Short mmCIF file of all heavy atoms in Angstrom, two decimals:
data_model
loop_
_atom_site.label_atom_id
_atom_site.label_comp_id
_atom_site.label_asym_id
_atom_site.label_seq_id
_atom_site.Cartn_x
_atom_site.Cartn_y
_atom_site.Cartn_z
N VAL A 16 9.32 -151.18 33.34
CA VAL A 16 9.21 -152.60 33.64
C VAL A 16 10.58 -153.04 34.18
O VAL A 16 11.59 -152.89 33.50
CB VAL A 16 8.83 -153.41 32.39
CG1 VAL A 16 8.81 -154.91 32.71
CG2 VAL A 16 7.47 -152.97 31.88
N VAL A 17 10.58 -153.57 35.40
CA VAL A 17 11.83 -153.91 36.06
C VAL A 17 11.76 -155.35 36.55
O VAL A 17 10.76 -155.76 37.17
CB VAL A 17 12.11 -152.96 37.25
CG1 VAL A 17 13.45 -153.32 37.91
CG2 VAL A 17 12.11 -151.52 36.80
N VAL A 18 12.82 -156.11 36.29
CA VAL A 18 12.94 -157.48 36.78
C VAL A 18 14.18 -157.52 37.66
O VAL A 18 15.31 -157.32 37.17
CB VAL A 18 13.08 -158.49 35.63
CG1 VAL A 18 13.20 -159.91 36.19
CG2 VAL A 18 11.89 -158.39 34.68
N GLY A 19 13.98 -157.77 38.95
CA GLY A 19 15.10 -157.69 39.88
C GLY A 19 15.63 -156.26 39.89
O GLY A 19 14.89 -155.32 40.18
N SER A 20 16.88 -156.09 39.52
CA SER A 20 17.47 -154.76 39.44
C SER A 20 17.61 -154.28 38.00
O SER A 20 18.17 -153.20 37.76
CB SER A 20 18.85 -154.76 40.12
OG SER A 20 19.72 -155.69 39.48
N ARG A 21 17.13 -155.06 37.03
CA ARG A 21 17.32 -154.72 35.63
C ARG A 21 16.04 -154.18 35.02
O ARG A 21 14.99 -154.82 35.09
CB ARG A 21 17.80 -155.93 34.83
CG ARG A 21 18.02 -155.63 33.35
CD ARG A 21 18.56 -156.84 32.61
NE ARG A 21 18.81 -156.52 31.21
CZ ARG A 21 17.89 -156.62 30.25
NH1 ARG A 21 16.69 -157.06 30.54
NH2 ARG A 21 18.20 -156.31 29.00
N GLU A 22 16.12 -153.00 34.42
CA GLU A 22 14.97 -152.41 33.75
C GLU A 22 14.94 -152.86 32.29
O GLU A 22 15.98 -152.89 31.61
CB GLU A 22 15.04 -150.89 33.81
CG GLU A 22 13.83 -150.23 33.13
CD GLU A 22 13.81 -148.72 33.32
OE1 GLU A 22 14.42 -148.24 34.31
OE2 GLU A 22 13.20 -148.03 32.48
N ILE A 23 13.76 -153.21 31.83
CA ILE A 23 13.57 -153.55 30.42
C ILE A 23 13.13 -152.28 29.71
O ILE A 23 12.11 -151.68 30.04
CB ILE A 23 12.51 -154.66 30.26
CG1 ILE A 23 13.00 -155.94 30.93
CG2 ILE A 23 12.23 -154.93 28.78
CD1 ILE A 23 11.98 -157.06 30.93
N SER A 24 13.89 -151.87 28.73
CA SER A 24 13.66 -150.58 28.10
C SER A 24 12.43 -150.60 27.20
O SER A 24 12.00 -151.65 26.70
CB SER A 24 14.88 -150.17 27.28
OG SER A 24 14.99 -150.99 26.11
N GLU A 25 11.89 -149.40 26.97
CA GLU A 25 10.76 -149.27 26.05
C GLU A 25 11.17 -149.68 24.64
O GLU A 25 10.36 -150.23 23.88
CB GLU A 25 10.25 -147.84 26.06
CG GLU A 25 9.58 -147.43 27.37
CD GLU A 25 8.98 -146.04 27.30
OE1 GLU A 25 8.64 -145.60 26.18
OE2 GLU A 25 8.84 -145.40 28.35
N ALA A 26 12.43 -149.42 24.29
CA ALA A 26 12.92 -149.79 22.96
C ALA A 26 12.92 -151.31 22.79
O ALA A 26 12.56 -151.82 21.73
CB ALA A 26 14.32 -149.23 22.73
N ASP A 27 13.33 -152.03 23.83
CA ASP A 27 13.33 -153.49 23.75
C ASP A 27 11.90 -154.02 23.61
O ASP A 27 11.64 -154.96 22.86
CB ASP A 27 13.99 -154.09 25.00
CG ASP A 27 15.50 -153.94 24.99
OD1 ASP A 27 16.06 -153.71 23.90
OD2 ASP A 27 16.11 -154.06 26.06
N ILE A 28 10.98 -153.41 24.35
CA ILE A 28 9.58 -153.84 24.27
C ILE A 28 9.02 -153.56 22.88
O ILE A 28 8.34 -154.40 22.28
CB ILE A 28 8.74 -153.12 25.35
CG1 ILE A 28 9.18 -153.58 26.75
CG2 ILE A 28 7.25 -153.40 25.15
CD1 ILE A 28 8.53 -152.82 27.88
N ALA A 29 9.35 -152.38 22.34
CA ALA A 29 8.87 -152.03 21.00
C ALA A 29 9.41 -152.99 19.95
O ALA A 29 8.69 -153.40 19.03
CB ALA A 29 9.27 -150.60 20.66
N ALA A 30 10.68 -153.38 20.09
CA ALA A 30 11.27 -154.32 19.13
C ALA A 30 10.64 -155.70 19.23
O ALA A 30 10.53 -156.43 18.23
CB ALA A 30 12.78 -154.41 19.35
N GLU A 31 10.22 -156.07 20.43
CA GLU A 31 9.62 -157.39 20.66
C GLU A 31 8.19 -157.47 20.16
O GLU A 31 7.67 -158.57 19.88
CB GLU A 31 9.66 -157.70 22.17
CG GLU A 31 9.06 -159.02 22.60
CD GLU A 31 9.90 -160.24 22.22
OE1 GLU A 31 11.09 -160.06 21.89
OE2 GLU A 31 9.36 -161.37 22.26
N MET A 32 7.51 -156.33 20.02
CA MET A 32 6.09 -156.32 19.69
C MET A 32 5.76 -157.02 18.37
O MET A 32 4.68 -157.56 18.20
CB MET A 32 5.56 -154.89 19.66
CG MET A 32 5.38 -154.27 21.04
SD MET A 32 4.93 -152.51 20.96
CE MET A 32 3.35 -152.57 20.09
N GLN A 33 6.70 -157.01 17.43
CA GLN A 33 6.44 -157.62 16.13
C GLN A 33 6.15 -159.12 16.23
O GLN A 33 5.53 -159.70 15.34
CB GLN A 33 7.64 -157.41 15.20
CG GLN A 33 8.92 -158.07 15.69
CD GLN A 33 10.10 -157.81 14.78
OE1 GLN A 33 10.00 -158.04 13.56
NE2 GLN A 33 11.20 -157.32 15.33
N TYR A 34 6.58 -159.75 17.30
CA TYR A 34 6.39 -161.20 17.47
C TYR A 34 5.09 -161.53 18.22
O TYR A 34 4.81 -162.69 18.48
CB TYR A 34 7.56 -161.80 18.23
CG TYR A 34 8.89 -161.52 17.59
CD1 TYR A 34 9.82 -160.66 18.20
CD2 TYR A 34 9.24 -162.06 16.36
CE1 TYR A 34 11.04 -160.39 17.61
CE2 TYR A 34 10.46 -161.78 15.76
CZ TYR A 34 11.35 -160.95 16.39
OH TYR A 34 12.56 -160.67 15.79
N HIS A 35 4.31 -160.49 18.56
CA HIS A 35 3.11 -160.71 19.38
C HIS A 35 1.92 -159.96 18.78
O HIS A 35 1.50 -158.93 19.30
CB HIS A 35 3.38 -160.25 20.82
CG HIS A 35 4.57 -160.89 21.42
ND1 HIS A 35 4.53 -162.15 22.00
CD2 HIS A 35 5.86 -160.47 21.51
CE1 HIS A 35 5.75 -162.47 22.42
NE2 HIS A 35 6.57 -161.48 22.13
N PRO A 36 1.36 -160.47 17.68
CA PRO A 36 0.21 -159.79 17.06
C PRO A 36 -0.96 -159.75 18.03
O PRO A 36 -1.19 -160.68 18.80
CB PRO A 36 -0.10 -160.67 15.85
CG PRO A 36 0.52 -162.00 16.15
CD PRO A 36 1.74 -161.70 16.98
N ALA A 37 -1.69 -158.64 18.01
CA ALA A 37 -2.83 -158.46 18.90
C ALA A 37 -3.81 -157.51 18.24
O ALA A 37 -3.53 -156.92 17.19
CB ALA A 37 -2.37 -157.92 20.25
N ASP A 38 -4.98 -157.35 18.85
CA ASP A 38 -6.02 -156.51 18.26
C ASP A 38 -5.79 -155.03 18.54
O ASP A 38 -6.55 -154.19 18.05
CB ASP A 38 -7.40 -156.94 18.78
CG ASP A 38 -7.49 -156.92 20.30
OD1 ASP A 38 -6.51 -156.50 20.96
OD2 ASP A 38 -8.54 -157.33 20.83
N SER A 39 -4.77 -154.68 19.31
CA SER A 39 -4.44 -153.27 19.55
C SER A 39 -2.97 -153.16 19.88
O SER A 39 -2.33 -154.13 20.32
CB SER A 39 -5.28 -152.71 20.71
OG SER A 39 -4.87 -153.28 21.94
N ALA A 40 -2.43 -151.95 19.70
CA ALA A 40 -1.02 -151.72 20.03
C ALA A 40 -0.76 -151.92 21.51
O ALA A 40 0.29 -152.44 21.92
CB ALA A 40 -0.62 -150.32 19.59
N GLY A 41 -1.73 -151.53 22.35
CA GLY A 41 -1.56 -151.70 23.79
C GLY A 41 -1.46 -153.16 24.19
O GLY A 41 -0.62 -153.52 25.03
N SER A 42 -2.29 -154.00 23.58
CA SER A 42 -2.24 -155.43 23.90
C SER A 42 -0.93 -156.05 23.42
O SER A 42 -0.33 -156.87 24.12
CB SER A 42 -3.42 -156.16 23.26
OG SER A 42 -4.64 -155.73 23.82
N ALA A 43 -0.49 -155.66 22.23
CA ALA A 43 0.78 -156.18 21.71
C ALA A 43 1.94 -155.74 22.60
O ALA A 43 2.86 -156.51 22.86
CB ALA A 43 0.98 -155.70 20.28
N GLN A 44 1.89 -154.49 23.08
CA GLN A 44 2.94 -153.98 23.95
C GLN A 44 2.99 -154.77 25.25
O GLN A 44 4.07 -155.12 25.75
CB GLN A 44 2.71 -152.50 24.25
CG GLN A 44 3.81 -151.84 25.08
CD GLN A 44 3.48 -150.40 25.39
OE1 GLN A 44 2.35 -150.07 25.74
NE2 GLN A 44 4.48 -149.53 25.25
N LEU A 45 1.82 -155.08 25.80
CA LEU A 45 1.77 -155.83 27.06
C LEU A 45 2.30 -157.25 26.86
O LEU A 45 3.05 -157.77 27.68
CB LEU A 45 0.34 -155.87 27.58
CG LEU A 45 0.12 -156.65 28.88
CD1 LEU A 45 0.99 -156.10 30.00
CD2 LEU A 45 -1.34 -156.64 29.27
N LYS A 46 1.88 -157.89 25.77
CA LYS A 46 2.37 -159.24 25.48
C LYS A 46 3.88 -159.25 25.32
O LYS A 46 4.57 -160.14 25.82
CB LYS A 46 1.71 -159.79 24.21
CG LYS A 46 0.24 -160.13 24.37
CD LYS A 46 -0.29 -160.74 23.07
CE LYS A 46 -1.74 -161.19 23.23
NZ LYS A 46 -2.22 -161.88 22.01
#
């Protein structure tokens, strides 16, 4: 996932997932 020239790491996405409950891990990851 890249915004402009900056890539958002998988670790950052994984850390953010706790704030986005969803019915599946994939949906939470996308949110």
Side-chain angles (χ1 to χ4, degrees):
V16 176
V17 181
V18 180
S20 60
R21 180 177 182 272
E22 181 174 335
I23 297 175
S24 71
E25 291 185 26
D27 286 342
I28 294 173
E31 179 72 16
M32 285 173 62
Q33 63 182 308
Y34 305 111
H35 305 277
D38 56 5
S39 70
S42 295
Q44 184 183 43
L45 179 58
K46 289 183 176 185

